[in-house]
Amino acid sequence: MATTNSITENVVHEEGLYTKLDRIFSTPSAPGVAYSLEIAAKDDFDVGLLERLVPQPVFCSLPWISDDNLRYSDDFLRAPTMQLSAQLRSAHYTVVNHVSCYNITEHQVDGLLASGVQNLFVVRGDTVQEEQKFQHSASLVHYLRKRQQESTLPPRLTIGVGGYPYGHHQSSSQAQELAYLREKIDHGVDFLLTQTLYDAGSFFRYRDRCRQAGITIPIIPGIYLPHSYRHLQVMLRLTRITLTAEVDAAFAAHADDPPEQFEAFVLDHFAGVLRELLEPNRTSSADAIKLVHFFSFNKFPLIQKMLQKLDDFFLQ
């Protein structure tokens, strides 16, 4: 890939994500539901498979691999995730780049902004150092907004943060967790994306708590379709989520299924979760779910099967 000074170079002007989200969530009568994808910067990524998805995603997000990205902090454009960002933008996809507080300095944040990113998903990361500047994602969100006001960055930097329907392992209570979340949002967050969901009830209860706490920004449910029982267990350990007894038993019953049978169960289970999430849209526009996020792990054919299974909801 040719070296450039910005991931926005040689890319046709695209509609800003803030404008897209505003149109999606501010139009009560808008038909159907849109979706977004998290993509991994791995060797198995195939842009052709992504381009064949019907419908197409509103945006693609790219996780922040701290050690990998910071290794290139003298020139972020050389990092694999940033090179994939440029590839996706050249193919006319809107990209949301993740950024973690872990070990990142103000100078490095400035370098990331100078690379041309327009949309960021801010996470704290599991570990931060006592001496580092950004101890929490709220401080990083605050710094990003401050830098945007002081410089000639794009007209609107769109910022998202994570939400935890099953609780954050570092929070002592739901009240403390919501207080931290409210602090982040008060610094200028545009949307909230939840961790992986395995049932609809957890999302609705979490959204109710957020609304009662005065959090009004869009809350996007995050859906992960495990491609094996082993991978599900890895994800549960990684995200520190404990499934309800009922959901855990349902997955465990299929632990030894052959791949095709396990996939069929996964599609049926999460189609049920999504229908429960989206059915209220049919009768009320109040706080309707207009956007769903899929953690794809580059398994685009599996995502396509889910979209087809719910084609009465997703925009075609």
Side-chain angles (χ1 to χ4, degrees), residues 166 196-200 222-227 232 243 247 251 262-278 292 294 302 306 309-310 314:
Y166 300 101
T196 52
L197 287 166
Y198 300 90
D199 67 290
I223 299 293
Y224 152 63
L225 306 179
H227 48 274
L232 169 66
L243 299 178
V247 174
F251 276 102
F262 184 79
E263 179 182 285
F265 162 72
V266 164
L267 288 169
D268 283 344
H269 175 80
F270 285 100
V273 172
L274 283 165
R275 285 194 177 279
E276 189 174 347
L277 287 171
L278 300 176
V292 172
F294 289 105
L302 185 59
M306 179 56 71
K309 207 170 182 67
L310 293 167
F314 286 99

Side-chain angles (χ1 to χ4, degrees), residues 38 121 161-166 181 191-199 202-204 206-207 210 218-224 239 241 277 289 291-295:
E38 181 174 290
F121 186 77
V161 296
Y164 300 89
Y166 300 101
L181 179 59
F191 68 92
L192 183 62
L193 172 60
T194 77
Q195 66 189 142
T196 52
L197 287 166
Y198 300 90
D199 67 290
S202 294
F203 174 84
F204 287 131
Y206 177 72
R207 189 178 65 180
C210 287
I219 303 176
I220 302 169
I223 299 293
Y224 152 63
T239 56
I241 291 176
L277 287 171
I289 296 173
L291 181 63
V292 172
H293 187 75
F294 289 105
F295 301 93

Side-chain angles (χ1 to χ4, degrees), residues 96-116:
V96 176
N97 296 95
H98 293 207
V99 60
S100 169
C101 293
Y102 173 74
N103 274 351
I104 200 167
T105 66
E106 291 182 353
H107 178 71
Q108 290 166 342
V109 174
D110 292 345
L112 181 64
L113 292 173
S115 72

Side-chain angles (χ1 to χ4, degrees), residues 45-295:
F45 171 72
D46 184 340
V47 70
L49 292 177
L50 174 62
E51 290 174 331
R52 285 197 284 275
L53 286 174
V54 179
Q56 285 280 282
V58 169
F59 67 80
C60 299
S61 70
L62 302 181
W64 179 266
I65 311 300
S66 298
D67 291 338
D68 189 9
N69 283 314
L70 292 182
R71 188 179 301 124
Y72 299 94
S73 60
D74 61 324
D75 180 7
F76 278 114
L77 294 178
R78 296 188 297 117
T81 53
M82 297 301 285
Q83 294 203 17
L84 180 54
S85 294
Q87 180 185 1
L88 289 168
R89 289 173 62 87
S90 294
H92 309 296
Y93 288 99
T94 297
V95 177
V96 176
N97 296 95
H98 293 207
V99 60
S100 169
C101 293
Y102 173 74
N103 274 351
I104 200 167
T105 66
E106 291 182 353
H107 178 71
Q108 290 166 342
V109 174
D110 292 345
L112 181 64
L113 292 173
S115 72
V117 296
Q118 297 183 15
N119 314 299
L120 286 171
F121 186 77
V122 178
V123 299
R124 179 177 186 263
D126 290 333
T127 305
V128 296
Q129 307 302 320
E130 290 184 3
E131 67 277 8
Q132 71 175 71
K133 166 73 174 180
F134 304 111
Q135 292 291 314
H136 299 280
S137 50
S139 60
L140 182 49
V141 171
H142 177 69
Y143 183 78
L144 288 167
R145 287 295 183 214
K146 178 173 175 287
R147 290 294 293 122
Q148 183 180 34
Q149 293 168 2
E150 295 172 345
S151 67
T152 56
L153 294 174
R156 175 71 187 188
L157 182 67
T158 305
I159 298 176
V161 296
Y164 300 89
Y166 300 101
H168 193 287
H169 69 281
Q170 293 176 323
S171 295
S172 61
S173 66
Q174 290 181 357
Q176 182 195 57
E177 186 178 325
L178 285 173
Y180 283 143
L181 179 59
R182 182 63 188 265
E183 181 184 4
K184 284 185 279 190
I185 291 170
D186 287 346
H187 285 312
V189 171
D190 298 298
F191 68 92
L192 183 62
L193 172 60
T194 77
Q195 66 189 142
T196 52
L197 287 166
Y198 300 90
D199 67 290
S202 294
F203 174 84
F204 287 131
R205 288 188 292 273
Y206 177 72
R207 189 178 65 180
D208 287 345
R209 293 197 298 273
C210 287
R211 299 309 187 219
Q212 290 165 9
I215 295 169
T216 61
I217 62 173
I219 303 176
I220 302 169
I223 299 293
Y224 152 63
L225 306 179
H227 48 274
S228 70
Y229 187 75
R230 181 195 64 80
H231 198 258
L232 169 66
Q233 297 307 307
V234 170
M235 277 294 290
L236 290 173
R237 288 193 295 271
L238 181 66
T239 56
R240 294 179 170 88
I241 291 176
T242 300
L243 299 178
T244 65
E246 181 181 3
V247 174
D248 185 52
F251 276 102
H254 295 269
D256 299 320
D257 284 358
E260 297 81 3
Q261 190 172 337
F262 184 79
E263 179 182 285
F265 162 72
V266 164
L267 288 169
D268 283 344
H269 175 80
F270 285 100
V273 172
L274 283 165
R275 285 194 177 279
E276 189 174 347
L277 287 171
L278 300 176
E279 278 292 343
N281 291 4
R282 297 188 189 277
T283 56
S284 174
S285 61
D287 219 356
I289 296 173
K290 297 293 189 70
L291 181 63
V292 172
H293 187 75
F294 289 105
F295 301 93

